[in-house]
Amino acid sequence: MLRYFKLYAIFFKANAMRALSYRRVRFWLYVFLTGLESFSIYIAIVILFNHVTNIAGWTYNDMLVLIGVFMITSSLSWILFKGGISELDGLLKRGDLDWLLVKPVDPQFIVSTHRMDLEDAGRSIVGIFIIFAGLREAPVFETIIRLPVFFLTLICGQIVLYAVMLSVKTISFKSIEGWATNAISWRFHDLARYTTDIYRGIARLVYTFVLPLVFVTTVPVKLLTQNFDIKLLAAALLAALMSFVVCRFIWKMAL
């Protein structure tokens, strides 16, 4: 396990050197633009709450925390795995995946982490500020106490997001036009900017048990802004574990 952490650190360093070695203005401009894109979501929420007082029981401050967390999950996913997984179809078409398969490490790890889009850190910066704006009326001590559970469920949400994206992307093994699968997984993540409490019936069942979208942003925010619920924490841990196991099975079968 330690060698994978070391290898990940090497990948991170290599991607940072790539991003900063040529035309650094471009890197910082991209950071600014991703932050600006995220800020537009905040503007949309402000406009929406000029006409409503709550959405499925979520207040304006609750929604600010939700979109702030969504921005952080988006930023983390691009930095951690989304860029690498998005290139799987390209690796297959160029024959580069064969080169990765002969490496003395798990190919799923290399495919997932070889590319990191560090420019997307701009989304996290904006997201943190929006979260603070949403928590400005919350008791400080209680919020601090809830942070460990929040971070734990945030990690669980990233695992769920990773599992869904890689599972969908394995379609590339059967289709040379696998790029369209990126849009499917990206749209799935985009839905996380809304609380899953707005869904009813079949949609709610799907986004809870089949594609567990609820654990990407909604559950972490609930555990940060509301009283501790052991059931939500247990469900998040179970969803992360099951998602990874299923994803691993699908990957091995596709490979």
Side-chain angles (χ1 to χ4, degrees), residues 212-231:
L213 177 71
V214 64
F215 299 105
V216 177
T217 55
T218 299
V219 167
V221 172
K222 283 186 175 182
L223 290 173
L224 180 63
T225 60
Q226 302 176 13
N227 293 329
F228 176 72
D229 189 337
I230 187 64
K231 294 180 180 178

Side-chain angles (χ1 to χ4, degrees), residues 76-141:
L76 287 175
S77 63
W78 277 109
I79 293 173
L80 294 174
F81 57 81
K82 192 178 285 188
I85 295 176
S86 297
E87 286 190 341
L88 178 58
D89 56 310
L91 294 174
L92 287 163
K93 285 195 288 186
R94 296 191 303 269
D96 292 340
L97 183 64
D98 296 336
W99 179 77
L100 297 180
L101 293 178
V102 299
K103 299 298 180 183
V105 291
D106 192 290
Q108 181 180 342
F109 175 81
I110 300 181
V111 168
S112 303
T113 61
H114 74 280
R115 173 185 163 185
M116 305 175 192
D117 292 338
L118 305 181
E119 300 92 339
D120 276 81
R123 290 190 175 93
S124 285
I125 296 172
V126 175
I128 290 171
F129 278 105
I130 293 178
I131 289 174
F132 275 113
L135 293 174
R136 64 185 182 276
E137 297 178 2
V140 176
F141 181 75

Side-chain angles (χ1 to χ4, degrees), residues 141-161:
F141 181 75
E142 291 183 11
T143 301
I144 293 175
I145 292 296
R146 294 167 182 162
L147 284 177
V149 174
F150 165 72
F151 286 125
L152 179 58
T153 51
L154 191 67
I155 294 171
C156 291
Q158 287 291 292
I159 295 174
V160 168
L161 192 59

